[in-house]
Amino acid sequence: MHRFFIPSEWIRQSRVSLTDEPAHQIIHVLRLKPKDHIILLDNSGWEYEVEIDQMSPGLIQGRVIGQGLGATEPRVKVTLYQALLKAEKFEFILQKGVELGVSAFVPFVSERCVVRKPGENKLARWRKIIQEAAEQSGRALLPALHPVATFREASDSAHGASILLWEEERSLSLSRILKGPPFQASPTFNVFIGPEGGFPPAEVAYAESRGIVPVSLGHRILRAETAGLAVVVALLYERGEFG
Amino acid sequence: MHRFFIPSEWIRQSRVSLTDEPAHQIIHVLRLKPKDHIILLDNSGWEYEVEIDQMSPGLIQGRVIGQGLGATEPRVKVTLYQALLKAEKFEFILQKGVELGVSAFVPFVSERCVVRKPGENKLARWRKIIQEAAEQSGRALLPALHPVATFREASDSAHGASILLWEEERSLSLSRILKGPPFQASPTFNVFIGPEGGFPPAEVAYAESRGIVPVSLGHRILRAETAGLAVVVALLYERGEFG
């Protein structure tokens, strides 16, 4: 069944009114009809099954015929702190990260970043990518996109279990960190991934001063956009979130 | 240092002659000079450090100044049986799969595949993607690309520990399979990933008759190209291959 994140005020008691993009999708792209069912999500964690009963140009109405708590959210909340990357790579990270179970994204500018801070158009596009991926992959909560930060701001904002992937780290492996205290049972996790050129030692030192632990991902050299997803999968797998 | 897979006959004793694409890359793209060093790989598992000594149009000569066994190959050999996907998705799987540590790819045609069998041009492009990803990620062996098979041929050819990712599987999880006998210690692993529309039950039944185990990847719905990579990461992480 097709899923749509909507503003919570679109649902009043058991009546639903949809306009804007969801209405456009339902009428013109999916070509649904009265009596078809859809799932609405108001980002509360609840899922509402809705039967469409009236359709007019730009407005769809229906009624809630069932509701339940979504069961697809990982129990561990992963925030991916991702240095800005070239456009298609950053968008790839957002899309795949949402599918895999990332709860929030913090884009940041690192010393070796070669791309500029995104303008409002690009941020809107990123939010759309996140929303579509969340709808398609069955997420019950919409992952947050935080404002673009500097590396220091990002490091300062990371509380609790935090790791930074560093290709020059030789001794401390991801699995050792994930399997041992205190990270083993942490309900939240912050993962820092650098830009194409990696982190300079000064940034790693600053991160360490904030309690962020540099870890290695083994022998192969992963591209920036692959590394982040590999860490997210490993982390969620370690916590039993991949079945 | 830049890495190049080359035919083994280009290395004779300690002398090396490079032509074709590697020579072009070195001269025109990387603009290396005599006395620069490169790493050559002849797909034997050995890595040869070479100092360039002569350069002329289309021909580079050098001498081997050191050799060692590559340390980047995973100890577990993963063969990714991947149903044909739309072009950019299939290419994405090849590139990321090589980076992450896949040893061989078997493209196959499944009932719900919507793309045609690739022609020779596309196969050449796929081999190039694999080679470039192997060079960039520091692989010591070039992952194999097997001919496109039917689903039955692919299933018949999969010996040893074999799993098939099925979104309708509810009971058997990936981690249960990976952590238990007999798969726990298997030195090889075959992973079957379907096309965009998934596997039909008849194909799953056939795979099961060949000893291939359908497994679930949990609650979220992953795109075909994300699912394969998630399984590869989980499998290699479980085996200690991500540091």
Side-chain angles (χ1 to χ4, degrees):
Chain A
M1 223 176 308
H2 294 284
R3 301 165 69 89
F4 302 90
F5 281 96
I6 54 150
S8 58
E9 59 270 24
W10 289 11
I11 305 177
R12 297 200 176 265
Q13 313 281 336
S14 67
R15 293 299 303 164
V16 173
S17 302
L18 304 176
T19 59
D20 300 339
E21 183 64 23
H24 172 80
Q25 278 282 324
I26 287 168
I27 297 169
H28 299 290
V29 182
L30 303 170
R31 300 184 182 195
L32 300 185
K33 303 285 173 215
K35 296 218 183 298
D36 283 341
H37 290 196
I38 55 177
I39 302 279
L40 299 183
L41 303 132
D42 62 358
N43 208 20
S44 64
W46 287 93
E47 303 184 352
Y48 304 89
E49 184 171 349
V50 168
E51 183 177 286
I52 296 172
D53 50 27
Q54 294 179 48
M55 301 178 83
S56 54
L59 175 65
I60 286 171
Q61 296 186 65
R63 68 190 174 91
V64 176
I65 59 169
Q67 76 179 72
L69 275 173
T72 57
E73 290 301 307
R75 284 149 295 183
V76 53
K77 300 297 167 206
V78 178
T79 299
L80 185 57
Y81 287 77
Q82 174 65 60
L84 295 179
L85 300 172
K86 285 174 190 162
E88 74 285 0
K89 292 183 179 180
F90 200 87
E91 293 176 2
F92 163 85
I93 284 270
L94 294 175
Q95 185 192 62
K96 299 300 172 218
V98 170
E99 284 177 62
L100 292 168
V102 169
S103 292
F105 298 91
V106 183
F108 66 88
V109 181
S110 165
E111 187 184 312
R112 295 185 185 156
C113 277
V114 294
V115 291
R116 295 198 198 157
K117 275 184 77 164
E120 187 43 47
N121 279 353
K122 185 165 279 184
L123 290 171
R125 183 176 155 84
W126 289 357
R127 282 189 290 267
K128 193 167 180 215
I129 288 169
I130 289 174
Q131 180 164 338
E132 288 177 354
E135 288 168 351
Q136 181 163 24
S137 61
R139 297 288 298 265
L141 293 173
L142 190 61
L145 176 65
H146 291 285
V148 180
T150 64
F151 178 72
R152 289 204 165 207
E153 289 165 348
S155 301
D156 294 350
S157 75
H159 302 296
S162 305
I163 59 174
L164 173 150
L165 208 68
W166 198 36
E167 68 284 2
E168 294 177 44
E169 173 62 35
R170 287 288 167 266
S171 56
L172 193 53
S173 75
L174 178 65
S175 64
R176 189 134 67 90
I177 275 288
L178 294 183
K179 288 177 197 292
F183 286 4
Q184 189 180 23
S186 177
T188 63
F189 234 101
N190 304 308
V191 177
F192 282 74
I193 306 288
E196 290 87 347
F199 287 111
E203 287 184 343
V204 177
Y206 185 78
E208 283 193 275
S209 79
R210 311 304 300 170
I212 300 165
V213 182
V215 299
S216 151
L217 208 54
H219 297 301
R220 287 174 299 286
I221 299 156
L222 300 179
R223 288 169 195 251
E225 77 275 18
T226 316
L229 300 182
V231 176
V232 169
V233 172
L235 205 167
L236 292 176
Y237 174 79
E238 177 66 36
R239 290 300 188 84
E241 294 286 351
F242 277 117
Chain B
M1 224 178 306
H2 295 284
R3 301 165 69 90
F4 302 90
F5 280 96
I6 53 150
S8 57
E9 59 270 23
W10 288 10
I11 305 176
R12 297 199 176 267
Q13 313 279 338
S14 68
R15 292 299 302 165
V16 172
S17 301
L18 304 177
T19 59
D20 300 338
E21 182 64 23
H24 173 81
Q25 278 283 323
I26 288 168
I27 296 169
H28 299 290
V29 182
L30 303 170
R31 301 184 181 194
L32 301 184
K33 303 285 173 216
K35 297 216 182 300
D36 282 341
H37 291 197
I38 54 177
I39 301 280
L40 298 184
L41 304 131
D42 62 359
N43 209 19
S44 64
W46 287 94
E47 303 184 351
Y48 304 89
E49 184 171 348
V50 168
E51 183 177 286
I52 296 172
D53 50 27
Q54 293 179 48
M55 301 177 83
S56 55
L59 175 66
I60 286 170
Q61 296 186 67
R63 68 190 173 88
V64 176
I65 58 170
Q67 76 179 74
L69 276 173
T72 56
E73 289 300 308
R75 284 150 294 182
V76 53
K77 300 297 169 205
V78 178
T79 299
L80 185 57
Y81 287 76
Q82 174 65 59
L84 295 179
L85 300 172
K86 285 175 189 159
E88 74 284 1
K89 292 184 179 178
F90 200 88
E91 294 176 0
F92 163 85
I93 283 270
L94 294 174
Q95 185 192 63
K96 300 297 172 221
V98 169
E99 284 178 61
L100 293 168
V102 168
S103 291
F105 298 90
V106 182
F108 67 88
V109 181
S110 166
E111 188 184 310
R112 295 185 185 155
C113 278
V114 294
V115 291
R116 293 194 201 162
K117 276 184 76 164
E120 187 43 47
N121 279 352
K122 185 164 278 183
L123 290 171
R125 183 175 156 84
W126 289 358
R127 281 189 290 267
K128 192 168 179 211
I129 288 170
I130 290 174
Q131 179 164 338
E132 287 177 355
E135 288 168 352
Q136 181 163 24
S137 60
R139 298 288 298 265
L141 294 173
L142 190 60
L145 177 65
H146 291 285
V148 180
T150 64
F151 178 71
R152 289 202 165 209
E153 288 165 349
S155 302
D156 294 349
S157 75
H159 302 296
S162 305
I163 59 175
L164 173 150
L165 207 68
W166 199 35
E167 68 284 3
E168 293 178 42
E169 173 62 34
R170 286 289 167 266
S171 56
L172 193 53
S173 75
L174 178 66
S175 65
R176 190 134 66 91
I177 275 287
L178 294 182
K179 288 177 196 290
F183 285 5
Q184 189 180 24
S186 178
T188 63
F189 234 100
N190 304 308
V191 176
F192 281 74
I193 306 288
E196 290 87 347
F199 288 111
E203 287 185 343
V204 176
Y206 185 79
E208 283 193 274
S209 78
R210 311 305 299 168
I212 300 165
V213 181
V215 299
S216 151
L217 207 55
H219 296 302
R220 288 173 299 286
I221 298 155
L222 300 179
R223 287 168 197 252
E225 77 275 17
T226 316
L229 300 181
V231 176
V232 168
V233 172
L235 205 167
L236 292 175
Y237 175 79
E238 177 66 38
R239 290 300 189 83
E241 294 286 351
F242 277 118

